[in-house]
Amino acid sequence: MTIEILCLALLVVSVLTNLTVQGIRSILDKKSANYSANIMAAITSVVISAALSAAYLVWTETALNSKLAVELIALMYLSFLVATNGYDKIMQAIKQIKDMADSK
């Protein structure tokens, strides 16, 4: 797996994770369920990256070796980091920037 494919996979996983988490959050908010958004995002990102990794292995007919296993584990770890620092943190930063602009 080249670095370009790894970066593309990370982009796809992060977009799918954010969309999936927002969908799940809206459903859970309607039901007034108690949940942790970061834990839900972390689990969702790992599941989506594992599914994408399996699809990549099947699509390219690649045998799983130690180098590829390390790259797939890195993809799962990086997608976990992106998911936990994703949508909520960006929205919080935008709100803080707006509040700073309004206070000046």
Side-chain angles (χ1 to χ4, degrees):
M1 179 185 297
T2 63
I3 191 70
E4 292 86 7
I5 292 175
L6 186 65
C7 289
L8 179 65
L10 183 60
L11 174 68
V12 169
V13 168
S14 64
V15 168
L16 289 175
T17 298
N18 283 331
L19 292 173
T20 304
V21 167
Q22 289 306 314
I24 293 171
R25 287 177 70 184
S26 66
I27 291 170
L28 292 177
D29 286 343
K30 288 179 184 176
K31 294 185 177 189
S32 299
N34 190 12
Y35 63 92
S36 172
N38 284 337
I39 293 173
M40 181 175 50
I43 292 170
T44 305
S45 71
V46 170
V47 169
I48 290 175
S49 63
L52 187 71
S53 299
Y56 173 78
L57 290 175
V58 170
W59 182 50
T60 59
E61 299 177 356
T62 305
L64 185 62
N65 56 26
S66 59
K67 179 183 178 235
L68 191 57
V70 169
E71 291 171 346
L72 296 179
I73 290 170
L75 174 64
M76 288 182 200
Y77 178 70
L78 291 172
S79 65
F80 164 78
L81 290 178
V82 169
T84 56
N85 293 316
Y87 181 79
D88 294 337
K89 303 296 182 192
I90 292 170
M91 294 307 291
Q92 181 182 14
I94 291 172
K95 184 179 179 208
Q96 287 175 351
I97 292 169
K98 282 184 179 178
D99 289 345
M100 286 174 42
D102 290 341
S103 66
K104 288 184 177 182

